[in-house]
Amino acid sequence: MLLLLLLCLLLCPQGCSARYDPTWESLDSRPLPTWFDEVKFGIFIHWGVFSVPSFGSEWFWWYWQKEKRPAYVKFMETNYPPGFSYEDFGPLFTAEFFDANQWADILKASGAKYVVLTSKHHEGFTLWGSKYSWNWNAVNVGPKRDIVAELATSIRNRTDLHFGLYHSLFEWFNPLFLYDASNVFKTRQFPTAKSLPELYEIVAKYQPEILWSDGDGNAPDTYWNSTGFLAWLYNDSPVRHAVVTNDRWGVGSICKHGGYYTCSDRYNPGHLLPHKWENCMTIDKWSWGYRRNTQLSDYLTIEELVKQLVETVSCGGNLLMNIGPTHDGRIDVIFQERLRQMGVWLRVNGEAIYGTKPWRTQNDTVTPGVWYTFKPKEETVYAIFLNWPISETLVLGDPKTKIGATQVKLIGHKGQLKWVSLGEKGMTVAVPQLTPSQLPCQWGWTLQLMNVN
């Protein structure tokens, strides 16, 4: 046995690990790297040429040119000269205020533990100087800068966040993709010449720990050769040990194959799932990209965002919360405020979020707006309540107390709280009388329950 171990260490100094075949059965057997479940909270960044018109949605090009939606057609007729094309927005994507160090500091302040940047959206414009996107990338057009490299460097130098990249498989108007689509994907010119080379390129060059795939273009995974690429990613790539992937690798793969499941945008089932999942959602309720024509009511409040985080983590998911920077490289003040508010909340309540597991029940059966998380090693249950009780008592229907052993604390407040056992019906906790300035935080509070069944 010792000889086998020594041979293994010689052959693979970083430790022997399984090799995966290019089949879903084999790839789906890969354990998800443990770091992903522990971090719980990430920030999504949608940024690209769509940030220039910054009207309606990041799907601007499609809605204007393909669907010819009246609002988009009118917007262009009113504000741009005849003959103005979407490609003409490229040089206007200037990013003159983009400061990767500043972005890294803002992201760190949010309490997030990972970030995912749109390296390329469905418009095909790459935020790095891709060899496979000639004259339609941020190094050749617009900023004349490698956005991906700058942000990756700042994130790694200034924060403990894991760096991830979003990549769209298809491109709306790429002639090669349109040719393949016209052949019902019997030909594979586009993935061979464009999409797959880009994927290998960003993994080799930037070594992302998350690869967030999207945009299958109604083509099957066999057209994209997704299983072949993922086998390389898991077996031989420079990030093979740490990388995490999602489930958007071709028609039929979502919520079924890949690493963790996203199932749909803004997916929040409200109950425990048997597979690790992620709720990717937006602070702006209607768009992933920045919109100049937003109203204040279009943005989720901090109370709504805390609720999303708590519900998601209680049910075993991660929350990926999206912001959309401006064409000139600013994170708008309202996004900054929401991010910093999340950070303030997590500085107090983070122990009930990071590194937790779902408890035996996700939300309380008696009192609405109470969600549970659990730390098995510490044998600690956390009850996160979103509404401060007017009656000065909080009834919890699920934790069963142990006489002489159960202890209850309000995180961020000194001292033990008094409680009364209700037997099989749970417990009643006496919530301290606090003025607004004495509350540990403003938007949701956590009870730490020690020694409960």
Side-chain angles (χ1 to χ4, degrees):
M1 179 62 92
L2 185 59
L3 285 171
L4 282 173
L5 183 62
L6 288 170
L7 183 63
C8 179
L9 289 171
L10 284 170
L11 292 172
C12 43
Q14 294 176 316
C16 289
S17 57
R19 287 190 67 83
Y20 300 95
D21 297 324
T23 65
W24 284 124
E25 183 181 12
S26 178
L27 296 168
D28 291 346
S29 72
R30 177 183 184 254
L32 194 72
T34 54
W35 71 262
F36 185 74
D37 182 54
E38 292 167 358
V39 296
K40 305 300 184 188
F41 178 43
I43 302 299
F44 216 166
I45 303 175
H46 272 66
W47 201 30
V49 172
F50 52 80
S51 307
V52 178
S54 51
F55 174 86
S57 165
E58 73 289 344
W59 278 58
F60 182 93
W61 194 2
W62 182 264
Y63 293 155
W64 168 39
Q65 293 283 25
K66 181 67 176 179
E67 295 189 6
K68 301 190 186 304
R69 294 189 180 185
Y72 291 79
V73 173
K74 184 181 179 183
F75 173 81
M76 289 304 298
E77 288 176 348
T78 304
N79 297 290
Y80 295 91
F84 192 96
S85 70
Y86 190 82
E87 289 86 346
D88 292 329
F89 283 123
L92 304 178
F93 178 52
T94 48
E96 66 265 34
F97 295 122
F98 171 58
D99 181 339
N101 286 341
Q102 182 193 49
W103 280 29
D105 293 345
I106 292 169
L107 295 170
K108 181 179 180 179
S110 75
K113 299 300 180 185
Y114 64 104
V115 59
V116 178
L117 172 70
T118 52
S119 70
K120 183 194 79 171
H121 201 256
H122 311 323
E123 64 189 12
F125 187 90
T126 65
L127 295 188
W128 80 101
S130 176
K131 291 183 290 186
Y132 308 99
S133 190
W134 181 80
N135 215 34
W136 193 234
N137 67 74
V139 174
N140 296 142
V141 178
K144 305 290 178 70
R145 297 161 68 177
D146 188 330
I147 301 295
V148 176
E150 289 186 38
L151 188 61
T153 299
S154 292
I155 289 292
R156 287 164 174 156
N157 288 346
R158 300 173 75 90
T159 80
D160 62 353
L161 276 75
H162 299 264
F163 182 75
L165 290 174
Y166 165 109
H167 177 269
S168 173
L169 292 171
F170 90 128
E171 297 171 16
W172 287 313
F173 301 110
N174 189 294
L176 294 179
F177 178 75
L178 296 175
Y179 174 80
D180 288 346
S182 71
N183 291 324
V184 202
F185 304 114
K186 296 290 193 292
T187 54
R188 298 184 59 251
Q189 290 194 17
F190 179 73
T192 303
K194 185 74 161 65
S195 200
L196 284 166
E198 284 176 347
L199 280 167
Y200 286 108
E201 187 179 38
I202 57 174
V203 171
K205 198 167 185 179
Y206 306 109
Q207 303 191 12
E209 290 180 83
I210 304 142
L211 200 55
W212 214 102
S213 183
D214 191 28
D216 59 39
N218 296 317
D221 65 82
T222 50
Y223 168 76
W224 299 112
N225 191 27
S226 296
T227 55
F229 170 75
L230 289 171
W232 170 82
L233 187 71
Y234 294 167
N235 291 329
D236 301 311
S237 80
V239 291
R240 59 191 176 277
H241 299 298
V243 72
V244 171
T245 61
N246 66 345
D247 56 350
R248 302 187 182 194
W249 294 99
V251 169
S253 72
I254 194 167
C255 219
K256 186 177 178 182
H257 295 303
Y260 62 85
Y261 294 169
T262 63
C263 299
S264 67
D265 292 350
R266 303 177 181 87
Y267 182 69
N268 187 4
H271 58 82
L272 191 61
L273 297 182
H275 192 94
K276 183 64 187 181
W277 61 281
E278 180 185 68
N279 173 5
C280 60
M281 45 71 69
T282 56
I283 297 176
D284 176 350
K285 299 172 192 175
W286 311 113
S287 177
W288 298 81
Y290 177 72
R291 294 187 301 142
R292 287 179 288 164
N293 58 323
T294 48
Q295 305 297 313
L296 184 60
S297 60
D298 292 339
Y299 296 101
L300 293 176
T301 65
I302 184 58
E303 290 86 355
E304 291 170 318
L305 293 172
V306 168
K307 182 174 184 284
Q308 286 275 328
L309 176 65
V310 170
E311 290 177 357
T312 298
V313 173
S314 293
C315 295
N318 280 18
L319 186 72
L320 184 61
M321 190 174 83
N322 179 73
I323 60 171
T326 62
H327 79 280
D328 54 11
R330 293 173 294 113
I331 296 175
D332 205 31
V333 171
I334 193 156
F335 289 130
Q336 290 193 43
E337 181 186 54
R338 294 291 186 271
L339 294 179
R340 292 185 185 278
Q341 286 172 325
M342 289 294 282
V344 167
W345 190 85
L346 282 163
R347 277 197 291 278
V348 175
N349 300 281
E351 70 171 272
I353 299 294
Y354 307 123
T356 59
K357 300 292 183 186
W359 196 39
R360 57 178 170 78
T361 185
Q362 279 59 68
N363 55 317
D364 196 72
T365 50
V366 173
T367 303
V370 177
W371 294 82
Y372 293 104
T373 60
F374 180 49
K375 283 190 174 171
K377 286 183 182 177
E378 294 84 350
E379 296 185 354
T380 302
V381 175
Y382 297 97
I384 307 170
F385 56 107
L386 301 173
N387 305 302
W388 189 266
I390 300 170
S391 64
E392 298 173 13
T393 59
L394 185 66
V395 178
L396 301 177
D398 293 282
K400 308 299 186 285
T401 60
K402 298 177 183 177
I403 302 299
T406 296
Q407 296 180 349
V408 182
K409 283 182 66 178
L410 175 66
I411 292 182
H413 179 71
K414 292 181 180 179
Q416 305 274 333
L417 302 188
K418 294 179 179 178
W419 55 269
V420 175
S421 174
L422 301 176
E424 289 302 307
K425 294 184 178 179
M427 65 192 298
T428 299
V429 178
V431 177
Q433 292 180 278
L434 301 174
T435 65
S437 63
Q438 291 174 323
L439 290 170
C441 53
Q442 302 297 314
W443 319 289
W445 305 268
T446 304
L447 294 180
Q448 181 195 70
L449 309 174
M450 304 283 289
N451 299 311
V452 294
N453 289 323

